[in-house]
Amino acid sequence: MDDQYLDAFIRESEEAITDLNNSLLDLEADPDDQAAMDQIFRTAHTLKGNFGAMGFEDASDLAHAIEDLLDAMRQDEMAVTPERMDLIFAGVDMIEAIVREIESDGESTTDTGEMVAQLRAVLEESDFDSESGGAPDPAAVGRSDDAAASDDDGAANGDDSPSIERFDVSADDAEGRVVRADVSVGEGDMLGVDAMLALDRITDTFDLLDADPDREAVEDGEFEDTFALALDAPDADAAAAELDAIGAVEDADVADVTDALGGGAGADADDANEADAGGAGGSTPANDAPQAASGGDDGASVDEIKSVRVDVDQLDDLHGLVEQLVTSRIKLRRAVETDDLAGASENLNELDKITANLQNTVMDMRLIPLKKVVGKFPRMVRDLSRELDKDVEFTIEGEDIELDRTILTEISDPLMHIIRNSLDHGIEPPAEREAAGKDPTGQVELRASRERDHVIIEVEDDGAGLDVDGIKRKAIEKGVRSSDEIEAMTDSAIYDLVFHPGFSTADEVTDTSGRGVGMDVVHDTVTQLDGSVSVDSEPGEGTTVSLRLPVTMAIVKVLFVEVGDEEYGVPLKNVDEITRTSAVKQINGNDVIKHNDDIYPVVDLAERFDVPGTHATAEADGAETAATDGGEPTEATGEPAEAAGGAIGAGDDAGAAVAGGGVGTGGAGGDEGMLVRIRESERQVALRCDQVNSQEEVVVKPLEGILSGTPGLSGTAVLGDGNIVHILDVVTL
């Protein structure tokens, strides 16, 4: 099987399963939701057709059984109950497992027989009395006799030339008899869906030779009252009986029109069998008609998925940039060959603009809507709330917010941890909520919003909130903090203790875990993605966990600092100010600087990373002896400071400010070294280095293997000269 088609099949099946789960949840919440029912049937029909077209018959049979059971619910032959929905969800889960198996092995060995039997057994347990399979009502049982009684009239009326001429079919196209069926599916709100289901059942039994209007129009609901079908059937009676047994068909007038068709007058079944070669040649397209239709839908869906993943306008932009890139390359090569340095410099500037635009376009193409991840959460919440015997309403806001593909993949599990903890230890049982004067149904909301180059994702519940006293007690018991430290901490700092590895306030271990179990995973993952996470809670009112994530990653602007014989990169967005080390003071033997009445501890990078070489030294007595550009001491001015062409804001009380672009010009810091003060929102600390060099955009590769998770390092970057530079993680440094 072609890997390209198999991959397209798997991707479409994954999206269809997510859509089916969410539509089933809507139907379970409101059995009268016609929009949900419409979506369910279209999705189930697509899944069944795709499995059949790809040759996975067991999965196709399972999807067919699910579709039949849902059809019985739609026809009011049985009620939508939690038990029946559980069985349907179990069937969808098996389909998902089959897709996973196909993706990994190229085939499926899952036995669907037992699940199909269970679905069929429930289908036979109709809430209404019925003759067969719980399909027709007593009034409908007599339709077969009525159709048979009118069969002679139908045959006579089959000579109505306008009706017959609309069919592009002859008697030789059928192995049996050509039967005309005028089918009615009632006057429902979903005419196209009803017709699609009817055609699906009919073509399971008979070969469809032609339709008036054509099949596509019928499935779109483009017909009035009835549509006509030309079927290959043993006879009109057999066709009438089968059509009567199909619940999706409300009424059908059946007539044998074989003798009335041109080119086959008087032909009987034996004649048709004698013309086997011609019959087979004609029936093959007819047999393939449903699959062709499905295949057509398949192709449209695949194209739609591709256009969503990579927009056509973005492809056009990318193509244009590549053309410019090729042109610039040719011009640059010619300039180099002719020793035209001025021309080469101009071409390099042009190349720089092109690559910058190319970078932006490619990064935009990597952005994927959040719903790719959160679309599966409603089903998870439904199953977990039933397991915990809680009533929970889960809502999602901002699912169209886009994130880089890598970030979206990594953030899936952390979000799942947070939501599971909200349900398990956030939302109280219904009786407990009622006793507290709350709605017995708990609320969990996932919100996403965009703030410049970051996305804020919040998971809020209206549960009991975090138990501050319980967290304090557990923190002391586990030795996370001393009792004195705990007493000095604010509630906000107490809440952050839930991110400590292994910390949990749960009294007993469950499959779901307590709030805090898994939260260290959340913190570590978000931190590695260059993001941050925080918790806010109000006792009795609920808890909100906030994740702040960059929209894109990999390419960041960094400030290079020199430490001995080594060079490190500090993400520029984390830098608030660059000062001289003359501002350093000592408190209790520790180096600190003061800024806006706040104390910032100084982290010596040379000492932290045990860097070899000669390092700058600084006076730690607070004497401000540093000078800039004129040798005179300079008080802090609060004006921006230039660092190799990039503006870095200077604080009001941070000591001497660096000015005049002297940084990075070869020992601008003298023998004292430099301080890089980190933004308070990231970490209240200042980094001591020997020298501040340039700033540059680099591609950051995360650390892997045994180096993964190294404190103080977020990854590495390869510079233009081939050297590798470590990028600092200021939070874990």
Side-chain angles (χ1 to χ4, degrees):
M1 185 179 297
D2 194 316
D3 291 342
Q4 177 184 356
Y5 297 117
L6 184 62
D7 184 67
F9 160 76
I10 292 170
R11 298 287 84 79
E12 182 174 356
S13 297
E14 289 174 341
E15 294 182 4
I17 290 169
T18 299
D19 291 341
L20 185 58
N21 270 317
N22 290 337
S23 296
L24 287 170
L25 290 173
D26 292 338
L27 180 65
E28 185 177 39
D30 181 9
D32 296 326
D33 190 337
Q34 293 298 317
M37 185 66 75
D38 189 0
Q39 181 64 33
I40 287 169
F41 278 109
R42 290 192 180 278
T43 306
H45 182 75
T46 298
L47 275 173
K48 183 187 69 174
N50 289 354
F51 278 120
M54 297 295 289
F56 303 113
E57 296 299 335
D58 287 348
S60 180
D61 292 342
L62 177 56
H64 197 161
I66 293 174
E67 189 179 20
D68 286 344
L69 182 55
L70 289 166
D71 185 35
M73 293 178 178
R74 179 184 170 278
Q75 299 292 340
D76 290 333
E77 293 167 12
M78 57 176 56
V80 177
T81 65
E83 293 72 23
R84 287 167 179 163
M85 293 303 295
D86 283 343
L87 183 59
I88 292 174
F89 278 122
V92 175
D93 288 343
M94 181 171 284
I95 289 176
E96 185 172 13
I98 290 173
V99 173
R100 297 276 73 78
E101 198 173 8
I102 293 171
E103 183 177 22
S104 61
D105 304 332
E107 59 180 358
S108 172
T109 57
T110 300
D111 183 7
T112 62
E114 183 177 351
M115 179 61 70
V116 171
Q118 291 181 28
L119 290 164
R120 295 294 181 193
V122 171
L123 186 61
E124 292 173 2
E125 298 171 2
S126 174
D127 294 340
F128 299 84
D129 294 330
S130 59
E131 295 291 333
S132 61
D137 55 58
V141 175
R143 285 205 301 268
S144 177
D145 296 335
D146 294 339
S150 63
D151 196 30
D152 293 337
D153 293 337
N157 293 334
D159 291 329
D160 184 0
S161 55
S163 297
I164 295 176
E165 288 175 357
R166 291 195 184 102
F167 288 139
D168 184 14
V169 64
S170 70
D172 292 336
D173 292 335
E175 293 182 359
R177 307 290 290 180
V178 179
V179 174
R180 173 194 172 98
D182 291 286
V183 179
S184 170
V185 292
E187 300 178 353
D189 295 330
M190 300 180 295
L191 205 58
V193 175
D194 295 338
M196 177 185 69
L197 293 174
L199 281 171
D200 193 35
R201 305 298 191 276
I202 293 170
T203 54
D204 281 345
T205 306
F206 304 109
D207 288 342
L208 178 63
L209 304 178
D210 202 0
D212 179 29
D214 62 36
R215 180 166 184 165
E216 184 177 353
V218 171
E219 292 185 344
D220 288 339
E222 298 173 0
F223 59 89
E224 294 183 4
D225 300 330
T226 64
F227 53 89
L229 304 177
L231 305 174
D232 181 357
D235 53 52
D237 290 344
E242 289 290 344
L243 292 175
D244 268 342
I246 297 175
V249 175
E250 182 176 273
D251 193 13
D253 291 330
V254 183
D256 190 327
V257 296
T258 308
D259 297 338
L261 292 171
D268 56 16
D270 292 335
D271 295 332
N273 290 332
E274 288 175 3
D276 184 57
S283 64
T284 299
N287 287 331
D288 288 344
Q291 296 180 3
S294 177
D297 294 340
D298 221 5
S301 297
V302 170
D303 288 340
E304 182 179 357
I305 292 173
K306 287 182 178 179
S307 67
V308 169
R309 291 176 179 169
V310 180
D311 190 83
V312 175
D313 291 338
Q314 290 177 324
L315 283 177
D316 290 340
D317 292 341
L318 188 61
H319 183 267
L321 289 169
V322 170
E323 288 181 338
Q324 296 178 40
L325 197 61
V326 171
T327 303
S328 181
R329 182 192 65 187
I330 295 172
K331 291 164 62 178
L332 181 59
R333 182 185 296 275
R334 289 177 179 173
V336 172
E337 289 174 350
T338 59
D339 292 331
D340 182 5
L341 295 182
S345 177
E346 182 180 343
N347 288 328
L348 283 174
N349 291 334
E350 179 183 348
L351 191 62
D352 185 58
K353 295 178 181 178
I354 295 173
T355 53
N357 290 332
L358 186 63
Q359 171 189 321
N360 293 333
T361 301
V362 172
M363 296 305 289
D364 286 343
M365 291 170 64
R366 287 176 56 90
L367 297 180
I368 297 177
L370 187 64
K371 62 184 175 184
K372 279 286 187 178
V373 166
V374 303
K376 297 181 180 181
F377 290 164
R379 171 68 193 282
M380 181 193 73
V381 171
R382 182 257 184 195
D383 292 344
L384 185 55
S385 60
R386 285 173 60 81
E387 178 185 331
L388 298 172
D389 198 22
K390 296 179 180 180
D391 296 330
V392 180
E393 181 179 344
F394 180 60
T395 56
I396 300 174
E397 180 181 325
E399 62 181 0
D400 292 330
I401 297 293
E402 294 181 321
L403 283 165
D404 184 89
R405 181 179 180 180
T406 302
I407 295 176
L408 203 59
T409 301
E410 294 294 331
I411 206 62
S412 176
D413 284 346
L415 285 176
M416 183 180 69
H417 277 304
I418 295 170
I419 294 173
R420 288 174 65 88
N421 282 332
S422 292
L423 266 65
D424 189 17
H425 280 263
I427 302 297
E428 314 94 324
E432 186 177 328
R433 291 179 63 87
E434 285 187 304
K438 292 184 175 182
D439 188 320
T441 300
Q443 303 289 328
V444 177
E445 183 178 11
L446 187 151
R447 296 187 301 269
S449 59
R450 178 79 177 261
E451 289 186 5
R452 298 174 62 185
D453 58 347
H454 281 77
V455 169
I456 311 300
I457 302 177
E458 296 178 321
V459 177
E460 180 180 4
D461 66 62
D462 67 344
L466 290 176
D467 182 3
V468 176
D469 293 333
I471 295 175
K472 290 180 178 179
R473 184 173 61 255
K474 286 287 184 179
I476 296 173
E477 289 177 3
K478 293 179 176 292
V480 176
R481 293 287 188 277
S482 66
S483 57
D484 292 338
E485 289 176 322
I486 288 292
E487 292 304 320
M489 294 173 66
T490 63
D491 284 352
S492 178
I494 294 292
Y495 297 149
D496 288 340
L497 291 178
V498 300
F499 298 119
H500 192 278
F503 187 88
S504 174
T505 58
D507 293 327
E508 59 184 52
V509 178
T510 67
D511 291 338
T512 311
S513 80
R515 186 183 297 277
V517 174
M519 295 300 282
D520 59 321
V521 176
V522 174
H523 181 271
D524 291 346
T525 302
V526 173
T527 300
Q528 289 176 7
L529 294 173
D530 201 17
S532 60
V533 58
S534 62
V535 179
D536 187 25
S537 183
E538 185 70 30
E541 300 295 330
T543 302
T544 301
V545 180
S546 301
L547 280 63
R548 181 180 176 86
L549 298 162
V551 174
T552 61
M553 59 183 304
I555 300 178
V556 297
K557 183 174 288 188
V558 300
L559 180 70
F560 292 112
V561 299
E562 211 173 278
V563 183
D565 298 333
E566 297 183 3
E567 191 172 35
Y568 295 90
V570 183
L572 198 59
K573 61 184 176 181
N574 295 336
V575 178
D576 195 27
E577 182 187 44
I578 299 173
T579 65
R580 300 198 186 282
T581 53
S582 57
V584 174
K585 302 179 183 296
Q586 280 199 340
I587 298 179
N588 297 329
N590 298 316
D591 289 349
V592 299
I593 62 171
K594 184 180 179 183
H595 174 71
N596 290 342
D597 296 328
D598 291 326
I599 300 300
Y600 284 70
V602 174
V603 175
D604 192 327
L605 295 179
E607 180 181 335
R608 182 60 54 92
F609 293 113
D610 193 19
V611 179
T614 303
H615 305 290
T617 58
E619 298 180 28
D621 58 1
E624 300 192 16
T625 59
T628 61
D629 289 348
E632 294 297 325
T634 304
E635 298 294 331
T637 62
E639 297 296 324
E642 298 291 333
I648 306 295
D652 294 334
D653 299 314
V658 179
V663 179
T665 59
D671 294 329
E672 304 160 347
M674 305 295 293
L675 289 177
V676 178
R677 186 167 57 78
I678 304 303
R679 293 185 186 276
E680 186 178 0
S681 59
E682 300 296 330
R683 186 183 178 190
Q684 192 167 312
V685 71
L687 309 181
R688 175 187 283 151
C689 59
D690 296 337
Q691 184 173 303
V692 176
N693 294 332
S694 61
Q695 63 185 46
E696 187 178 335
E697 284 189 337
V698 297
V699 177
V700 179
K701 296 292 185 181
L703 296 175
E704 298 179 354
I706 60 174
L707 295 178
S708 178
T710 302
L713 299 179
S714 63
T716 59
V718 180
L719 304 184
D721 57 7
N723 289 326
I724 297 177
V725 172
H726 291 290
I727 306 302
L728 300 182
D729 178 7
V730 298
V731 176
T732 61
L733 187 63

